[in-house]
Amino acid sequence: MDGAQLESPDIRRFFWGATPNAVNTSISFGREYAAGAAKEMARREMDEQIRRRFEDTAFWSPAIVTDSRGEAQVRFPMPENLTEWRATARAITAETAVGTVRSYAKTFKPLLVRLQTPRFLTQGDRSVISGIVHNYTEKAQEVLVSLRVSEPLRIAKGQSQRITLPPQGQASVDWVVEADAPGEPTLTLTARSADEFDGMELTLPVYTRGMPCTIASASVVKGTLEKRFRLPPQWIPGSLSMVVRVAPSWFGTAIGALDGILQYPYGCIEQTVHPTLSALQVLEVLSALGITDDDLSRRAREAVQRGVIRLSALQLSDGSWGYTEHERGNAMWTALVLEALQRARAMGFSVSTERLNRGVEALYRLLAEIPAQPPDLKQVPKAKREMVMARWLHQVNQKAHALCSTAEISPRWAQKPLLRLYEMRRYLGTSSQCALVMALHAVNLPAQARKLQEEILARVIQTPTTAFWRERTPYLSKYCEWLWYAQDTYATAWVARILARDDPRHPLLAKSLHWLAAERQGDYWHSTNDTAQIVMALVEYARRVPESVRGSHRVRVLLNGELLKELEYRAEDWLRPEEAIIVPTSLLRSGENVLRIEHQGEGDVVTSMAVRYFEPTEQVQATAQQMRVERIYLKRVPRKLTPREREELRRRYGDESEYLWEHRPAKGVFRPGEQMVVKLVVHCATDIYYGVIDDPKPAGFEFVEPPSAGYEWGYWYSRQEVRDDRVAFLCAYIPKGKSVITYLLRAERPGRVRARPAQAFGMYLPEINGSSTENTVSTTRR
């Protein structure tokens, strides 16, 4: 039952074409009526409730079984929207007799209010909030309309206004509000007449304006550890937060990090398939060790189910998968998705055999398209040789990862390509070489796998307690400085995975896990790609050597001498997810702070901390680290054309053709209904694989869908994601030099607001980044 348009086809025509059918529908509706004083009291209590629960869909169920008469009842709490609802039922029997029926119902009140707000505000914004009041009675109503707001919002003038509404009339009442600080204030709009009442309440997020700052560190603790960090003299009120995480084992750390990557905000293939693979590995460990943990199993199964559904939906028409649904098929992403889907099916999840077969055929074709030998640079102009070689290296490294998954899917087919790639291994980065080691073991080539593993381990960089590996091998460093797989955490996680599989008691494994633990940045590591590999390495280690992660611990966490929490873990608690301790901000102070972790017991505990805050600034300035971003606001206005010219352009190119419009400098001022052209100019010092351009919108502006939406993708970027407060662009490749993105917003709510800086960064190399300045925009009243 919902209030949205239903696009699915008629079920009878779908199954039976023009075959006639008949559907009879009966509806029963019961009420209880009170009388006298009880009736009046019940009416007033009901009528003076504030409506807070608003839903697009009131009820949905995939399957309801009727009784022998074909009848069924469902019960659900009705949302508090005042609107027209549509109930749709589709039925099918075991004999494939089908039918559908649709009915409508309205929820309304004689006196009704609607609250019109922006989707969000930014600290320092000044905006107009409107209350629309409808009188559906047959007599005039004197109505007191009031708006209440909680901090940090403030009404500039007047909380209540008195209006007169004619029968069947409506009116709008405006208030100017100012956002003094970040937070989530509530807005409550009420309208009261002599006989009627209505009220509704909404939450309006207010985002922080300032320079974001993070202090993060992680450690493996045995004994006592002190971490000292400094906070500035001032920070924006409400922006300061601190979280300390403590896990009794590596497995607990992996579960905490898995929760972090499942909440990552973007939706490309990598950020879908890697959390799915990580969750599958957790389920496999629970099964292999015979462990029952209902909550952990439920969360992991839900993550896998979501991943299977989304990965199935993103398959391209040729059977392959690309970085997004708009990118051409890619061997590495196709192989990873197939591995995830096949492992999910082995764990009992529903996966289409036809989908898998089409994917495997596409994978073989894509792998065959990657040249096995490096390009002949003698035939390439000198100025382009480095670029040509770098692109081939990018392809051949992805091929190694693809063949690692392919070896699990079809070992016999993968053997020859793996032997050829083994001869070319000097062109591979450390993570790709580790993937090759796994693949060689999978196709029963242990001699080659052992030799390559020895070559990898020989490149270790270690201290008495830690060990790590560089991603860029000596040859790779000559050509590729900024490829997406160039993180040392990613390389070290891959080495940990092969050690956990081959020799879980190898001394370098424990040291590499200690190094990875120290590299954690708050909820997860540098990217979802890094985090997923580290999660899989930690889970694999716990699976191979479960006794190494068991132990009894007693942990005390103190900040500036104040006890935050005392934790006790028994040996059977090794599966327990990490504890997230939210630190009261009253315990934090300007200058030096001391976090002290005291540990008693067997083995180690894994800890991390993250402090986040915003520093106040008069003007948020642009930043540039290998990338620079400019954001320009223009006004889209009709071109000056004769009626004949306009009609000819409409006839040839359509009513929304860009030939009918021109872009003018906006000077930061718009009227409601006018369209803003957002122009993002990104300057890159080098080619970047897999980048993100994230552009926060100004409050009170709405995204305008381009006329070509729904047709063939024709943009240089790979995916566009429209959110309430931003528009994000995912790019499989951002070339060196200048790139431009434009899109449209429409001015809706009057006010003077700020747009937070646009950001661009490497998805897997966050140290490559840049941001624009903030922009101030005004929307006048009509």
Side-chain angles (χ1 to χ4, degrees):
M1 185 172 186
D2 60 60
Q5 184 176 359
L6 196 66
E7 301 293 343
S8 52
D10 182 90
I11 192 170
R12 286 179 293 172
R13 292 185 180 181
F14 184 84
F15 276 93
W16 295 101
T19 303
N21 199 356
V23 178
N24 294 321
T25 305
S26 62
I27 301 174
S28 62
F29 178 62
R31 280 189 177 180
E32 293 183 3
Y33 294 92
K39 175 181 178 180
E40 180 63 21
M41 184 178 298
R43 188 187 71 80
R44 285 189 176 276
E45 287 178 356
M46 179 181 69
D47 287 350
E48 296 199 4
Q49 288 180 351
I50 302 296
R51 295 182 286 115
R52 294 180 173 87
R53 195 170 70 86
F54 305 102
E55 305 286 348
D56 292 330
T57 301
F59 174 79
W60 179 86
S61 176
I64 298 170
V65 180
T66 67
D67 59 20
S68 59
R69 295 177 299 174
E71 296 179 357
Q73 288 188 353
V74 295
R75 295 180 181 273
F76 56 91
M78 197 69 177
E80 296 176 332
N81 311 52
L82 300 183
T83 185
E84 181 177 80
W85 297 94
R86 178 181 58 206
T88 304
R90 299 176 183 275
I92 185 169
T93 69
E95 295 77 24
T96 66
V98 298
T100 184
V101 66
R102 185 176 296 167
S103 62
Y104 297 86
K106 284 186 178 180
T107 53
F108 70 96
K109 299 182 75 172
L111 186 67
L112 181 153
V113 296
R114 290 187 292 118
L115 191 56
Q116 292 189 337
T117 72
R119 294 177 185 267
F120 64 93
L121 291 172
T122 300
Q123 180 186 5
D125 284 356
R126 182 182 177 93
S127 183
V128 174
I129 304 297
S130 298
I132 312 298
V133 189
H134 298 262
N135 175 19
Y136 288 120
T137 70
E138 297 302 326
K139 64 178 183 179
Q141 298 276 356
E142 295 287 335
V143 183
L144 179 66
V145 187
S146 302
L147 177 69
R148 298 194 309 270
V149 300
S150 64
E151 292 183 351
L153 274 189
R154 175 169 49 86
I155 300 176
K157 181 181 179 181
Q159 180 176 319
S160 300
Q161 302 182 42
R162 196 172 291 276
I163 60 174
T164 301
L165 288 176
Q168 300 297 325
Q170 71 175 54
S172 176
V173 182
D174 293 340
W175 292 268
V176 176
V177 299
E178 298 180 1
D180 295 329
E184 291 196 356
T186 57
L187 297 87
T188 307
L189 175 67
T190 59
R192 186 187 304 273
S193 69
D195 302 317
E196 305 294 344
F197 174 88
D198 188 30
M200 66 176 294
E201 183 176 286
L202 295 176
T203 299
L204 181 66
V206 177
Y207 297 124
T208 306
R209 173 181 175 265
M211 294 295 294
C213 302
T214 300
I215 303 170
S217 67
S219 301
V220 179
V221 181
K222 189 179 182 70
T224 299
L225 173 73
E226 282 193 354
K227 291 181 179 289
R228 298 176 183 271
F229 60 94
R230 299 187 66 84
L231 289 177
Q234 287 186 321
W235 55 80
I236 294 175
S239 72
L240 178 63
S241 67
M242 180 177 179
V243 180
V244 179
R245 300 175 185 274
V246 181
S249 69
W250 294 112
F251 191 84
T253 301
I255 300 307
L258 175 61
D259 289 339
I261 59 174
L262 289 175
Q263 298 168 14
Y264 202 70
Y266 305 109
C268 66
I269 281 289
E270 183 274 318
Q271 281 137 20
T272 305
V273 70
H274 274 141
T276 304
L277 285 168
S278 300
L280 280 166
Q281 189 140 356
V282 170
L283 290 173
E284 289 166 357
V285 168
L286 295 178
S287 175
L289 299 180
I291 297 167
T292 301
D293 187 320
D294 293 340
D295 181 62
L296 177 57
S297 178
R298 176 188 56 79
R299 286 188 291 141
R301 293 190 70 85
E302 287 176 354
V304 174
Q305 186 63 53
R306 286 195 303 270
V308 168
I309 292 171
R310 176 151 179 78
L311 292 172
S312 299
L314 291 176
Q315 187 172 26
L316 302 178
S317 59
D318 67 354
S320 67
W321 282 266
Y323 180 60
T324 71
E325 66 270 39
H326 302 302
E327 283 291 313
R328 70 180 296 272
N330 173 286
M332 182 179 71
W333 303 127
T334 300
L336 282 171
V337 172
L338 287 171
E339 180 186 350
L341 293 179
Q342 290 208 343
R343 287 171 64 179
R345 187 163 72 166
M347 292 291 294
F349 293 89
S350 177
V351 179
S352 164
T353 301
E354 184 267 344
R355 188 181 302 282
L356 289 173
N357 290 340
R358 290 175 57 233
V360 170
E361 290 176 8
L363 175 60
Y364 293 161
R365 184 183 70 252
L366 291 168
L367 285 169
E369 291 174 0
I370 299 175
Q373 298 295 323
D376 184 1
L377 296 180
K378 295 178 181 178
Q379 307 299 321
V380 179
K382 192 171 183 180
K384 295 185 177 181
R385 288 178 183 176
E386 185 173 339
M387 179 190 70
V388 170
M389 189 64 182
R391 288 186 176 176
W392 178 78
L393 287 169
H394 180 73
Q395 286 183 307
V396 79
N397 276 267
Q398 288 199 332
K399 185 175 186 177
H401 288 274
L403 285 172
C404 181
S405 297
T406 307
E408 300 289 340
I409 298 166
S410 179
R412 190 172 179 181
W413 185 93
Q415 193 172 70
K416 285 185 179 180
L418 283 169
L419 285 171
R420 287 195 294 267
L421 189 61
Y422 174 76
E423 297 302 323
M424 309 293 292
R425 62 189 182 276
R426 71 189 184 103
Y427 295 107
L428 303 178
T430 298
S431 64
S432 302
Q433 290 182 349
C434 290
L436 181 56
V437 169
M438 286 190 182
L440 290 168
H441 277 300
V443 300
N444 198 28
L445 294 171
Q448 290 87 341
R450 280 196 299 272
K451 182 177 180 182
L452 179 53
Q453 183 169 318
E454 290 171 1
E455 293 173 2
I456 295 169
L457 297 183
R459 298 198 301 269
V460 65
I461 302 169
Q462 60 179 319
T463 69
T465 57
T466 64
F468 75 100
W469 285 258
R470 299 286 187 198
E471 170 61 30
R472 284 172 285 172
T473 55
Y475 186 87
L476 197 64
S477 298
K478 298 178 183 178
Y479 289 95
C480 301
E481 184 177 2
W482 299 114
L483 289 182
W484 72 273
Y485 42 76
Q487 286 284 359
D488 295 340
T489 45
Y490 185 67
T492 304
W494 269 99
V495 177
R497 285 185 67 187
I498 64 171
L499 286 176
R501 287 189 177 195
D502 184 59
D503 186 3
R505 301 189 184 280
H506 196 291
L508 287 178
L509 177 54
K511 295 172 78 172
S512 66
L513 295 180
H514 278 69
W515 184 85
L516 287 169
E519 291 296 304
R520 189 175 180 183
Q521 304 290 311
D523 297 342
Y524 44 84
W525 281 262
H526 299 287
S527 68
T528 53
N529 200 42
D530 286 17
T531 303
Q533 296 303 326
I534 294 167
V535 167
M536 287 190 275
L538 296 176
V539 172
E540 187 70 29
Y541 178 62
R543 177 180 182 176
R544 302 287 177 172
V545 197
E547 68 274 11
S548 67
V549 294
R550 299 175 190 266
S552 57
H553 312 279
R554 183 176 180 182
V555 182
R556 299 176 78 239
V557 182
L558 303 95
L559 178 67
N560 297 327
E562 296 284 339
L563 179 66
L564 297 177
K565 196 150 192 177
E566 192 164 346
L567 301 165
E568 289 193 14
Y569 299 105
R570 298 183 299 274
E572 59 268 26
D573 291 333
W574 71 278
L575 275 175
R576 189 165 150 189
E578 63 185 6
E579 185 92 16
I581 304 168
I582 310 298
V583 178
T585 54
S586 58
L587 298 181
L588 291 161
R589 61 198 182 200
S590 299
E592 186 175 80
N593 292 262
V594 181
L595 175 68
R596 181 181 174 89
I597 299 174
E598 300 173 351
H599 167 237
Q600 294 177 338
E602 309 166 21
D604 308 322
V605 291
V606 188
T607 68
S608 66
M609 59 153 277
V611 182
R612 294 183 172 90
Y613 60 93
F614 281 77
E615 283 190 322
T617 179
E618 288 297 320
Q619 175 73 26
V620 180
Q621 300 296 325
T623 62
Q625 298 290 333
Q626 297 287 323
M627 298 180 81
R628 183 165 58 86
V629 184
E630 297 176 78
R631 181 173 58 194
I632 303 164
Y633 288 158
L634 303 168
K635 189 177 292 187
R636 188 175 187 245
V637 297
R639 286 181 60 191
K640 291 182 179 179
L641 299 167
T642 66
R644 184 174 179 179
E645 289 173 330
R646 187 172 298 280
E647 184 60 32
E648 178 63 20
L649 287 171
R650 280 179 171 163
R651 185 183 65 80
R652 295 177 61 183
Y653 302 109
D655 289 343
E656 292 298 322
S657 167
E658 281 300 315
Y659 294 110
L660 299 170
W661 303 86
E662 62 181 348
H663 302 166
R664 294 180 183 172
K667 299 181 180 179
V669 180
F670 294 83
R671 289 182 295 179
E674 288 187 328
Q675 292 187 350
M676 171 198 288
V677 179
V678 183
K679 183 178 181 180
L680 302 173
V681 184
V682 181
H683 303 266
C684 294
T686 183
D687 292 344
I688 296 173
Y689 289 91
Y690 306 117
V692 179
I693 300 161
D694 195 290
D695 185 29
K697 302 187 300 185
F701 283 74
E702 293 296 320
F703 179 77
V704 178
E705 196 75 41
S708 59
Y711 296 95
E712 185 175 350
W713 189 259
Y715 304 101
W716 68 266
Y717 47 88
S718 307
R719 179 182 172 85
Q720 175 181 272
E721 297 184 358
V722 180
R723 313 289 176 83
D724 281 354
D725 64 331
R726 67 188 60 236
V727 182
F729 302 90
L730 277 61
C731 312
Y733 173 67
I734 305 178
K736 181 179 180 179
K738 174 181 173 182
S739 300
V740 178
I741 293 174
T742 60
Y743 68 95
L744 293 178
L745 296 175
R746 183 179 59 251
E748 296 280 352
R749 305 300 307 160
R752 180 177 173 82
V753 298
R754 291 182 174 89
R756 292 166 292 152
Q759 295 182 316
F761 55 92
M763 181 76 80
Y764 310 114
L765 290 170
E767 63 267 28
I768 306 177
N769 63 78
S771 63
S772 70
T773 60
E774 63 179 3
N775 295 68
T776 301
V777 186
S778 294
T779 302
T780 61
R781 302 197 189 202
R782 292 185 187 274

